[in-house]
Amino acid sequence: MTKTIPTEFEVLDERFAAVGGDDVIEVLYTGTRWAEGPVYFPAGRFLVWSDIPNERMLRWDEMTGAVGPFRRPSGYVNGNTLDREGRLISCEHGNRRVTRTEHDGSITVIADRWEGKRLNSPNDVVVRSDGSVWFTDPPYGILSDYEGHAAEQEIDGCHVYRADPVTGEVRIVADDFNRPNGLAFSRDESLLYVADTKERHLRVFDVREDGTLAGGKVFAEGGADDIFDGMRLDDTGRIWAAAGKAVLCYDPDGTLIGRLKLPESTANLVFGGLKRNRMFITASTSLYSLMTNVTGARPVWAGR
């Protein structure tokens, strides 16, 4: 029998009052050291997530509830997403690269260097409708052997990158971050939200047609316990961000309107299930799930 805990929504603004879901949150699995990078596969109705320090990826089956290994060793994978063809895109701390898992299981390297220098340790990743791959590159995987391999930083700084889908060119699109982490596009892909964990805030950029960014103002400031990590958007444009022992919900105008409280430090989340209304949350030792009345945003290329 699946373990559950009470659902605890905190309403901070009347715009959050209608948000709800099941009375209990399901604890689908416990036993990771640091759970991260949840990605839902609609075609197979399963979820894959990372357990970074244990250098493995796990798989939860929606039809049976069974949990089993997906990949080990994983290269200390952190963030994951899907591309337009349903292929897995992963950030590998240990191998300091972003990869794509092909349908036959083979691995293609998307990015591992910038101007000949090794990346730090790619952290989180999103794919735009033009096929470009955008990722953040803080140094967590090279600071020690805990989440990767201790190594010298070859690139001066921690940046946000874009890998071109045609040429493969990897270029810096934002170079003024301390510790860039989670990132997500707005529903129409005109905006890019990026978390800076060290600065405890979220920033927002305008996305130009040529794949460059403009702006970068602070979108939301976190509190003392709000260490921002991964994020996702729902189909109303609200931003849901993992931060501390909660998932915070922001209106598109930057107002913190509510939070979903968790008993562990959260790392990331994703919407999945048949109707994209099941929120999966990775938090420290566990994978949580909550059926909500909120629907996750569908990628532009997937249509409505």
Side-chain angles (χ1 to χ4, degrees), residues 209-266:
E209 285 301 316
D210 63 357
T212 59
L213 299 179
K217 68 179 181 181
V218 173
F219 172 76
E221 294 273 9
D225 298 323
D226 299 331
I227 302 174
F228 290 109
D229 205 320
M231 70 184 89
R232 294 290 189 276
L233 272 70
D234 65 27
D235 66 358
T236 72
R238 292 174 297 211
I239 298 89
W240 295 77
K245 291 185 177 181
V247 175
L248 308 182
C249 183
Y250 289 89
D251 187 82
D253 70 4
T255 303
L256 176 61
I257 60 175
R259 56 167 55 92
L260 173 62
K261 296 183 179 181
L262 275 296
E264 299 183 272
S265 295
T266 60

Side-chain angles (χ1 to χ4, degrees), residues 37-229:
V39 56
Y40 181 81
F41 290 77
R45 294 189 64 181
F46 63 89
L47 181 126
V48 169
W49 80 102
S50 307
D51 181 4
I52 306 174
N54 283 325
E55 200 186 354
R56 62 176 179 167
M57 300 170 75
L58 298 169
R59 179 185 186 276
W60 171 81
D61 189 287
E62 189 171 20
M63 301 299 289
T64 66
V67 172
F70 179 80
R71 180 177 297 164
R72 187 170 191 176
S74 65
Y76 293 94
V77 164
N78 188 335
N80 298 284
T81 193
L82 297 180
D83 70 3
R84 296 176 301 173
E85 297 181 32
R87 296 172 297 187
L88 177 66
I89 309 295
S90 301
C91 292
E92 301 180 14
H93 271 191
N95 296 320
R96 302 170 71 170
R97 65 187 189 178
V98 180
T99 61
R100 179 177 64 240
T101 301
E102 308 294 349
H103 292 304
D104 64 3
S106 60
I107 303 294
T108 298
V109 177
I110 295 173
D112 62 356
R113 295 176 184 272
W114 173 75
E115 294 189 349
K117 301 175 183 179
R118 295 192 71 185
L119 297 172
N120 298 327
S121 54
N123 187 288
D124 207 355
V125 60
V126 289
V127 178
R128 202 162 181 245
S129 59
D130 63 1
S132 57
V133 177
W134 302 60
F135 62 95
T136 54
D137 189 40
Y140 300 125
I142 59 174
L143 294 178
S144 71
D145 291 322
Y146 186 70
E147 292 188 14
H149 306 292
E152 293 296 321
Q153 188 169 327
E154 298 183 17
I155 296 172
D156 182 19
C158 302
H159 310 309
V160 182
Y161 294 84
R162 176 187 184 272
D164 190 273
V166 178
T167 66
E169 176 196 14
V170 177
R171 72 168 183 246
I172 296 172
V173 291
D175 62 0
D176 58 347
F177 278 84
N178 191 329
R179 293 290 186 268
N181 201 314
L183 70 174
F185 285 110
S186 61
R187 292 181 301 158
D188 62 1
E189 299 184 332
S190 66
L191 302 173
L192 178 68
Y193 299 93
V194 186
D196 193 320
T197 300
K198 192 77 170 180
E199 300 299 326
R200 297 177 184 267
H201 62 215
L202 302 178
R203 295 173 61 187
V204 60
F205 295 82
D206 295 309
V207 184
R208 300 189 182 109
E209 285 301 316
D210 63 357
T212 59
L213 299 179
K217 68 179 181 181
V218 173
F219 172 76
E221 294 273 9
D225 298 323
D226 299 331
I227 302 174
F228 290 109
D229 205 320

Side-chain angles (χ1 to χ4, degrees), residues 280-299:
F280 297 94
I281 305 160
T282 50
S284 302
T285 67
S286 306
L287 172 67
Y288 297 90
S289 168
L290 175 66
M291 193 71 75
T292 73
N293 62 359
V294 174
T295 304
R298 183 187 290 270

